Each structure stands twice: as C-alpha cells, then as structure tokens.
Coordinates of all heavy atoms in Angstrom, one line a residue:
T265 N 119.2 103.8 100.0 CA 118.3 104.3 100.9 C 118.8 104.3 102.3 O 119.7 103.3 102.6 CB 116.9 103.5 100.8 OG1 117.2 102.1 101.1 CG2 116.3 103.6 99.4
P266 N 118.3 105.1 103.2 CA 118.8 105.1 104.5 C 118.6 103.7 105.2 O 117.6 103.1 105.0 CB 118.1 106.2 105.2 CG 117.6 107.1 104.1 CD 117.4 106.2 103.0
G267 N 119.6 103.3 105.9 CA 119.5 102.0 106.6 C 119.9 100.9 105.8 O 119.8 99.8 106.3
S268 N 120.2 101.0 104.5 CA 120.6 99.9 103.8 C 122.0 99.4 104.1 O 122.9 100.2 104.3 CB 120.5 100.2 102.3 OG 119.2 100.5 101.9
S269 N 122.1 98.1 104.2 CA 123.4 97.6 104.5 C 124.3 97.6 103.2 O 123.8 97.6 102.1 CB 123.4 96.1 105.0 OG 123.0 95.2 103.9
S270 N 125.6 97.4 103.4 CA 126.5 97.3 102.2 C 126.2 96.1 101.3 O 126.3 96.2 100.1 CB 127.9 97.4 102.7 OG 128.2 96.3 103.5
T271 N 125.7 95.0 102.0 CA 125.3 93.9 101.2 C 124.2 94.2 100.4 O 124.1 93.7 99.2 CB 125.1 92.7 102.2 OG1 126.3 92.5 103.0 CG2 124.8 91.5 101.4
D272 N 123.2 94.9 100.8 CA 121.9 95.2 100.1 C 122.3 96.1 98.9 O 121.8 95.9 97.9 CB 121.0 95.9 101.0 CG 120.3 95.0 102.0 OD1 120.4 93.8 101.9 OD2 119.8 95.6 103.0
I273 N 123.2 97.0 99.2 CA 123.6 98.0 98.1 C 124.3 97.3 97.1 O 124.1 97.4 95.8 CB 124.4 99.1 98.7 CG1 123.6 100.0 99.6 CG2 125.1 99.9 97.6 CD1 124.4 101.0 100.5
L274 N 125.3 96.4 97.4 CA 126.0 95.6 96.5 C 125.2 94.7 95.6 O 125.2 94.6 94.4 CB 127.2 94.8 97.1 CG 128.0 93.9 96.2 CD1 128.7 94.7 95.2 CD2 128.9 93.2 97.0
S275 N 124.1 94.1 96.3 CA 123.2 93.3 95.6 C 122.4 94.0 94.5 O 122.2 93.7 93.4 CB 122.2 92.6 96.6 OG 122.9 91.7 97.3
A276 N 121.9 95.3 94.9 CA 121.2 96.2 94.0 C 122.0 96.6 92.8 O 121.5 96.6 91.7 CB 120.7 97.4 94.8
I277 N 123.3 96.8 93.1 CA 124.2 97.2 92.0 C 124.4 96.0 91.1 O 124.3 96.2 89.8 CB 125.6 97.7 92.5 CG1 125.5 99.0 93.2 CG2 126.6 97.8 91.4 CD1 126.6 99.5 94.0
E278 N 124.7 94.9 91.6 CA 124.8 93.7 90.7 C 123.6 93.4 89.9 O 123.6 93.0 88.7 CB 125.2 92.5 91.5 CG 126.6 92.6 92.1 CD 127.0 91.5 93.0 OE1 126.1 90.8 93.5 OE2 128.2 91.4 93.4
E279 N 122.5 93.5 90.6 CA 121.1 93.3 89.9 C 121.0 94.2 88.7 O 120.5 93.9 87.6 CB 120.0 93.3 90.9 CG 118.7 93.1 90.2 CD 117.5 93.3 91.2 OE1 117.7 92.9 92.4 OE2 116.5 93.9 90.9
G280 N 121.2 95.5 89.0 CA 121.1 96.5 88.0 C 122.0 96.4 86.8 O 121.7 96.6 85.8
S281 N 123.2 95.9 87.2 CA 124.2 95.8 86.1 C 123.8 94.7 85.1 O 124.2 94.7 84.0 CB 125.6 95.6 86.7 OG 125.7 94.4 87.3
E282 N 123.2 93.7 85.6 CA 122.7 92.6 84.7 C 121.6 93.1 83.7 O 121.5 92.5 82.6 CB 122.1 91.5 85.5 CG 123.2 90.8 86.3 CD 122.5 89.8 87.3 OE1 121.3 89.6 87.3 OE2 123.4 89.2 88.0
K283 N 121.0 94.2 84.0 CA 119.8 94.7 83.2 C 120.3 95.8 82.3 O 119.5 96.4 81.5 CB 118.8 95.3 84.1 CG 118.2 94.2 85.0 CD 117.1 94.8 85.9 CE 116.5 93.8 86.8 NZ 115.5 94.5 87.7
L284 N 121.7 96.2 82.3 CA 122.1 97.3 81.5 C 122.1 97.1 80.0 O 122.4 95.9 79.5 CB 123.6 97.6 81.9 CG 123.8 98.2 83.2 CD1 125.3 98.4 83.4 CD2 123.2 99.6 83.3
D285 N 121.7 98.0 79.3 CA 121.7 98.1 77.8 C 123.1 98.6 77.5 O 123.4 99.8 77.7 CB 120.6 98.8 77.2 CG 120.8 98.9 75.7 OD1 121.7 98.5 75.1 OD2 119.9 99.5 75.1
K286 N 124.1 97.8 77.0 CA 125.4 98.3 76.9 C 125.7 99.0 75.5 O 126.7 99.4 75.3 CB 126.3 97.2 77.1 CG 126.4 96.7 78.5 CD 127.2 95.5 78.7 CE 127.2 94.9 80.1 NZ 126.0 94.4 80.6
G287 N 124.5 99.2 74.7 CA 124.7 99.7 73.4 C 124.7 101.2 73.5 O 125.2 101.9 72.6
E288 N 123.9 101.9 74.4 CA 123.9 103.3 74.5 C 124.0 103.7 76.0 O 123.7 103.0 76.9 CB 122.6 103.8 73.9 CG 122.4 103.5 72.4 CD 121.1 104.0 71.9 OE1 120.1 104.1 72.7 OE2 121.0 104.3 70.8
T289 N 124.4 105.0 76.1 CA 124.5 105.5 77.5 C 123.5 106.7 77.6 O 123.7 107.7 77.0 CB 125.9 106.1 77.8 OG1 126.7 105.0 77.6 CG2 126.0 106.5 79.2
N290 N 122.4 106.4 78.4 CA 121.4 107.5 78.6 C 121.5 107.8 80.1 O 120.8 107.3 80.9 CB 120.0 107.0 78.2 CG 119.0 108.0 78.3 OD1 119.1 109.0 79.0 ND2 117.9 107.8 77.5
L291 N 122.3 108.8 80.5 CA 122.5 109.2 81.8 C 121.2 109.8 82.3 O 120.9 109.7 83.6 CB 123.7 110.1 82.1 CG 125.0 109.6 81.6 CD1 126.1 110.6 81.9 CD2 125.3 108.4 82.4
G292 N 120.5 110.5 81.5 CA 119.3 111.2 81.9 C 118.3 110.1 82.4 O 117.6 110.3 83.4
A293 N 118.1 109.0 81.7 CA 117.3 108.0 82.1 C 117.7 107.3 83.4 O 116.9 107.0 84.2 CB 117.0 106.9 81.0
A294 N 118.9 107.1 83.5 CA 119.5 106.5 84.7 C 119.2 107.4 85.9 O 118.8 106.9 87.1 CB 121.0 106.3 84.7
I295 N 119.4 108.7 85.8 CA 119.2 109.6 86.9 C 117.7 109.7 87.2 O 117.3 109.6 88.4 CB 119.6 111.1 86.5 CG1 121.1 111.1 86.4 CG2 119.1 112.1 87.5 CD1 121.7 112.3 85.7
S296 N 116.8 109.7 86.2 CA 115.4 109.7 86.5 C 114.9 108.4 87.1 O 114.1 108.4 88.0 CB 114.6 109.9 85.2 OG 114.9 111.1 84.6
A297 N 115.4 107.3 86.7 CA 115.0 106.0 87.3 C 115.4 105.9 88.8 O 114.7 105.4 89.6 CB 115.7 104.8 86.6
A298 N 116.7 106.4 89.1 CA 117.1 106.4 90.5 C 116.3 107.4 91.2 O 115.8 107.0 92.4 CB 118.6 106.9 90.5
A299 N 115.9 108.5 90.7 CA 115.0 109.5 91.5 C 113.7 108.9 91.8 O 113.2 109.2 92.9 CB 114.9 110.8 90.7
M300 N 113.2 108.1 91.0 CA 111.9 107.4 91.3 C 112.0 106.5 92.5 O 110.9 106.3 93.2 CB 111.4 106.7 90.1 CG 111.0 107.6 88.9 SD 110.4 106.8 87.3 CE 110.1 105.2 87.7
R301 N 113.1 106.0 92.7 CA 113.3 105.1 93.9 C 113.8 105.7 95.1 O 113.8 105.0 96.2 CB 114.3 103.9 93.4 CG 113.9 103.2 92.2 CD 114.8 102.1 91.8 NE 114.9 101.1 92.9 CZ 115.6 100.1 92.9 NH1 116.4 99.8 91.9 NH2 115.6 99.1 93.9
T302 N 114.2 106.9 95.1 CA 114.8 107.5 96.3 C 114.0 108.4 97.1 O 114.2 108.5 98.3 CB 116.1 108.4 95.8 OG1 115.7 109.5 95.0 CG2 117.1 107.6 95.1
N303 N 113.0 109.0 96.6 CA 112.0 109.8 97.4 C 112.8 110.9 98.2 O 112.7 110.9 99.4 CB 111.2 109.0 98.2 CG 110.0 109.8 98.9 OD1 109.5 110.7 98.3 ND2 109.5 109.3 99.9
G304 N 113.6 111.8 97.5 CA 114.2 112.8 98.1 C 115.6 112.5 98.7 O 116.2 113.4 99.3
A305 N 116.1 111.3 98.6 CA 117.4 111.0 99.1 C 118.5 111.4 98.0 O 118.3 111.8 97.0 CB 117.5 109.5 99.4
S306 N 119.7 111.3 98.5 CA 120.8 111.6 97.5 C 121.0 110.5 96.6 O 120.7 109.3 96.8 CB 122.1 111.8 98.4 OG 122.0 112.8 99.2
I307 N 121.5 110.7 95.4 CA 121.8 109.9 94.3 C 123.3 109.9 94.0 O 123.8 111.0 93.7 CB 120.9 110.1 93.1 CG1 119.6 110.1 93.4 CG2 121.4 109.2 91.8 CD1 118.6 110.6 92.3
L308 N 124.0 108.8 94.0 CA 125.4 108.8 93.6 C 125.4 108.2 92.1 O 125.0 107.0 91.9 CB 126.2 107.9 94.6 CG 127.7 107.7 94.2 CD1 128.4 109.0 94.2 CD2 128.3 106.6 95.1
L309 N 125.9 108.9 91.2 CA 126.0 108.5 89.8 C 127.4 108.2 89.5 O 128.3 109.1 89.5 CB 125.5 109.6 88.9 CG 125.6 109.4 87.4 CD1 124.7 108.2 87.0 CD2 125.3 110.6 86.6
L310 N 127.7 106.9 89.3 CA 129.1 106.5 88.8 C 129.0 106.3 87.3 O 128.3 105.4 86.8 CB 129.5 105.2 89.6 CG 130.8 104.6 89.2 CD1 132.0 105.5 89.4 CD2 131.0 103.2 89.9
S311 N 129.9 107.0 86.6 CA 129.8 107.0 85.1 C 131.1 107.5 84.6 O 131.9 108.1 85.1 CB 128.7 107.9 84.7 OG 128.7 108.0 83.2
D312 N 131.3 107.0 83.3 CA 132.4 107.6 82.6 C 132.1 109.0 82.0 O 133.0 109.7 81.5 CB 132.9 106.7 81.4 CG 131.8 106.4 80.4 OD1 130.8 107.1 80.3 OD2 132.0 105.5 79.6
G313 N 130.8 109.3 82.1 CA 130.5 110.7 81.8 C 130.2 110.9 80.3 O 129.9 112.0 79.8
F314 N 130.2 109.8 79.5 CA 130.0 109.9 78.1 C 128.5 109.5 77.8 O 128.2 108.3 77.8 CB 130.9 109.0 77.3 CG 132.3 109.4 77.4 CD1 133.2 108.7 78.2 CD2 132.8 110.5 76.7 CE1 134.5 109.1 78.4 CE2 134.1 110.9 76.9 CZ 135.0 110.2 77.7
E315 N 127.7 110.5 77.6 CA 126.3 110.2 77.3 C 126.1 110.4 75.7 O 126.5 111.3 75.2 CB 125.4 111.3 78.0 CG 123.9 111.1 77.7 CD 123.0 112.1 78.5 OE1 123.3 113.3 78.5 OE2 122.1 111.6 79.2
N316 N 125.5 109.5 75.2 CA 125.2 109.6 73.8 C 123.7 109.6 73.4 O 123.4 109.7 72.2 CB 126.0 108.4 72.9 CG 125.7 107.0 73.4 OD1 124.6 106.8 73.9 ND2 126.6 106.2 73.2
V317 N 122.8 109.5 74.3 CA 121.4 109.7 74.2 C 120.9 110.3 75.5 O 121.5 110.2 76.5 CB 120.6 108.4 73.8 CG1 121.0 107.8 72.5 CG2 120.7 107.4 74.9
G318 N 119.8 111.0 75.4 CA 119.0 111.6 76.6 C 119.7 112.9 76.9 O 120.5 113.5 76.2
D319 N 119.2 113.4 78.1 CA 119.6 114.7 78.5 C 119.8 114.7 80.1 O 118.9 114.9 80.8 CB 118.5 115.8 78.1 CG 118.9 117.1 78.4 OD1 120.0 117.4 79.1 OD2 118.2 118.1 78.0
A320 N 121.0 114.4 80.5 CA 121.4 114.2 81.8 C 121.2 115.6 82.6 O 120.8 115.6 83.8 CB 122.9 113.8 82.0
R321 N 121.6 116.7 82.0 CA 121.3 118.0 82.6 C 120.0 118.3 83.0 O 119.7 118.7 84.1 CB 122.0 119.1 81.8 CG 123.5 119.1 81.8 CD 124.1 120.3 81.0 NE 125.5 120.2 81.2 CZ 126.3 120.3 80.0 NH1 125.8 120.3 78.8 NH2 127.6 120.2 80.2
Q322 N 119.1 118.0 82.1 CA 117.7 118.3 82.4 C 117.2 117.3 83.5 O 116.4 117.7 84.4 CB 116.8 118.1 81.1 CG 115.3 118.4 81.3 CD 115.1 119.7 81.9 OE1 115.6 120.7 81.5 NE2 114.2 119.7 82.9
A323 N 117.6 116.1 83.5 CA 117.2 115.1 84.5 C 117.7 115.6 85.8 O 117.0 115.5 86.9 CB 117.6 113.7 84.1
A324 N 118.9 116.1 85.9 CA 119.6 116.6 87.1 C 118.7 117.7 87.7 O 118.5 117.8 88.9 CB 120.9 116.9 86.9
R325 N 118.3 118.7 86.8 CA 117.5 119.8 87.2 C 116.2 119.3 87.8 O 115.7 119.8 88.8 CB 117.3 120.8 86.1 CG 118.5 121.6 85.7 CD 118.1 122.7 84.8 NE 117.9 122.2 83.4 CZ 118.9 122.0 82.5 NH1 120.2 122.3 82.8 NH2 118.7 121.6 81.3
T326 N 115.6 118.4 87.1 CA 114.3 117.9 87.7 C 114.4 117.1 89.0 O 113.6 117.4 89.9 CB 113.7 116.8 86.6 OG1 113.6 117.5 85.3 CG2 112.4 116.2 87.1
V327 N 115.5 116.4 89.1 CA 115.8 115.7 90.4 C 116.0 116.7 91.5 O 115.5 116.6 92.7 CB 117.0 114.8 90.3 CG1 117.6 114.2 91.6 CG2 116.7 113.6 89.4
A328 N 116.7 117.8 91.2 CA 117.0 118.8 92.2 C 115.7 119.5 92.6 O 115.5 119.8 93.8 CB 118.0 119.8 91.7
A329 N 114.8 119.7 91.7 CA 113.5 120.4 91.9 C 112.7 119.6 92.9 O 111.9 120.1 93.6 CB 112.9 120.8 90.6
R330 N 112.9 118.3 92.9 CA 112.1 117.3 93.6 C 112.8 117.1 95.1 O 112.2 116.4 95.8 CB 111.9 116.0 93.0 CG 111.1 116.1 91.8 CD 110.9 114.7 91.2 NE 110.2 114.8 89.9 CZ 110.2 113.9 88.9 NH1 111.1 112.8 89.1 NH2 109.5 114.0 87.9
G331 N 113.8 117.8 95.3 CA 114.5 117.8 96.5 C 115.5 116.8 96.8 O 116.2 116.5 97.8
S332 N 116.0 116.0 95.7 CA 117.1 115.0 95.8 C 118.4 115.7 95.4 O 118.4 116.8 94.7 CB 116.9 113.8 94.9 OG 115.8 113.1 95.2
R333 N 119.4 115.2 95.9 CA 120.8 115.6 95.6 C 121.5 114.7 94.8 O 121.4 113.4 95.0 CB 121.6 116.0 96.9 CG 120.9 117.1 97.7 CD 121.7 117.4 98.9 NE 123.0 117.9 98.6 CZ 124.0 118.1 99.4 NH1 123.8 117.8 100.6 NH2 125.0 118.6 99.0
L334 N 122.2 115.1 93.7 CA 122.9 114.2 92.8 C 124.4 114.5 92.9 O 124.8 115.6 92.8 CB 122.5 114.5 91.3 CG 123.1 113.8 90.2 CD1 122.8 112.3 90.4 CD2 122.7 114.3 88.9
F335 N 125.0 113.4 93.1 CA 126.5 113.5 93.3 C 127.2 112.6 92.1 O 127.2 111.4 92.2 CB 127.0 112.9 94.6 CG 126.5 113.8 95.8 CD1 125.3 113.4 96.4 CD2 127.1 114.8 96.2 CE1 124.8 114.1 97.5 CE2 126.7 115.7 97.3 CZ 125.6 115.3 97.9
P336 N 127.6 113.2 91.0 CA 128.2 112.5 90.0 C 129.7 112.1 90.4 O 130.5 113.0 90.9 CB 128.2 113.4 88.8 CG 128.1 114.8 89.4 CD 127.5 114.7 90.7
L337 N 130.0 110.9 90.2 CA 131.4 110.5 90.3 C 132.0 110.0 89.1 O 131.6 108.9 88.6 CB 131.5 109.3 91.4 CG 132.8 108.8 91.7 CD1 133.8 109.8 92.3 CD2 132.7 107.6 92.8
I338 N 132.8 110.8 88.4 CA 133.3 110.5 87.1 C 134.9 110.5 87.3 O 135.5 111.5 87.4 CB 132.9 111.6 86.1 CG1 131.4 111.7 86.1 CG2 133.5 111.3 84.7 CD1 130.9 112.9 85.3
P339 N 135.4 109.3 87.1 CA 136.8 109.1 87.3 C 137.6 109.9 86.2 O 137.1 110.0 85.0 CB 137.1 107.6 87.2 CG 135.7 107.0 87.4 CD 134.7 108.0 87.0
E340 N 138.8 110.2 86.4 CA 139.7 110.7 85.4 C 139.9 109.7 84.3 O 139.9 108.5 84.5 CB 141.1 111.1 86.0 CG 141.1 112.2 87.0 CD 140.8 113.5 86.3 OE1 141.3 113.7 85.2 OE2 140.2 114.4 87.0
I341 N 140.1 110.1 83.1 CA 140.2 109.2 81.9 C 141.4 108.3 82.1 O 141.4 107.1 81.7 CB 140.3 110.1 80.6 CG1 140.2 109.1 79.4 CG2 141.6 110.8 80.5 CD1 138.9 108.6 79.0
S342 N 142.5 108.7 82.8 CA 143.6 107.9 83.1 C 143.3 106.7 83.9 O 143.9 105.7 83.7 CB 144.7 108.8 83.7 OG 144.3 109.2 85.0
A343 N 142.3 106.8 84.8 CA 141.9 105.6 85.6 C 141.4 104.5 84.7 O 141.6 103.4 84.9 CB 140.7 106.0 86.6
F344 N 140.7 104.8 83.6 CA 140.3 103.8 82.7 C 141.4 103.2 81.9 O 141.5 102.0 81.7 CB 139.2 104.4 81.6 CG 137.9 104.8 82.3 CD1 137.6 106.1 82.6 CD2 137.0 103.8 82.5 CE1 136.5 106.4 83.3 CE2 135.7 104.1 83.2 CZ 135.5 105.5 83.5
Q345 N 142.3 104.2 81.4 CA 143.4 103.7 80.6 C 144.5 102.9 81.5 O 145.0 101.9 81.0 CB 144.2 105.0 80.1 CG 143.3 105.7 79.1 CD 144.0 107.1 78.8 OE1 144.7 107.7 79.6 NE2 143.6 107.7 77.7
N346 N 144.6 103.2 82.8 CA 145.5 102.4 83.6 C 145.0 100.9 83.8 O 145.7 100.1 84.1 CB 145.7 103.1 84.9 CG 146.5 104.4 84.8 OD1 147.2 104.6 83.8 ND2 146.5 105.2 85.8
Q347 N 143.6 100.8 83.8 CA 143.0 99.4 83.9 C 142.9 98.8 82.7 O 142.2 97.6 82.7 CB 141.7 99.6 84.8 CG 142.0 100.2 86.2 CD 142.8 99.3 87.0 OE1 142.7 98.1 87.0 NE2 143.7 99.9 87.8
G348 N 143.2 99.4 81.5 CA 143.0 98.8 80.2 C 141.5 98.7 79.8 O 141.2 97.8 79.0
I349 N 140.7 99.7 80.3 CA 139.3 99.7 80.0 C 139.2 100.6 78.7 O 139.7 101.7 78.8 CB 138.5 100.3 81.2 CG1 138.6 99.3 82.4 CG2 137.1 100.5 80.7 CD1 138.0 99.9 83.6
K350 N 138.5 100.2 77.8 CA 138.4 100.9 76.5 C 137.0 101.6 76.7 O 136.0 101.0 77.0 CB 138.4 100.0 75.3 CG 138.2 100.7 74.0 CD 138.2 99.8 72.8 CE 137.9 100.6 71.6 NZ 137.9 99.7 70.4
I351 N 137.1 102.9 76.4 CA 135.9 103.8 76.2 C 135.6 104.1 74.9 O 136.4 104.7 74.1 CB 136.1 105.1 77.0 CG1 136.4 104.8 78.6 CG2 134.8 106.0 76.9 CD1 136.7 106.0 79.3
S352 N 134.5 103.6 74.3 CA 134.2 103.6 72.9 C 133.0 104.6 72.7 O 132.3 104.9 73.6 CB 134.0 102.4 72.2 OG 133.0 101.6 72.9

C-alpha cells in the first residue's frame, strides 16, 4: 500500500508465507485476495507461473475491471535451476 515502509512490506510477506498451502498453486485466489486488500492499487505477483487449480486469467480480468493493475514477475526457469530449486 502507498506509504508502507520496506520493513512493513517484508513483514507482510513473511507473515503471508507462513500461511501458504504448499500443496497446490491457486494464482487466481492469490490475485483475488491481494485485490481485496489493495483498493485500486497495483499488485505485484511473484510466482513460478505454474497454476494447478483456479483461474488466474479470470481473476486478473476482474482485478483490472476494479481499477487495479497486476504486474506478474515470473523468473526464467533457469533462475530456479541455477539456485537448485525444484519445481514440481
């Protein structure tokens, strides 16, 4: 949100990561949840891009219709491989 410090943002990310369900990736639900908290602000989505449930495209359209902007940041697959991160 506007005016948030980098410490506040980092705390929010850490808090959110503790609540993650690591069994499935529902980008649509993540986008929708972020949109409920932003009230027209921009959303930065950091993801590997592999969605196995939900509908991210529909959620993105809904967010756009509400006036928010979505910026997906999806690293190249080599970034995961270089760090030894397995994408399953």
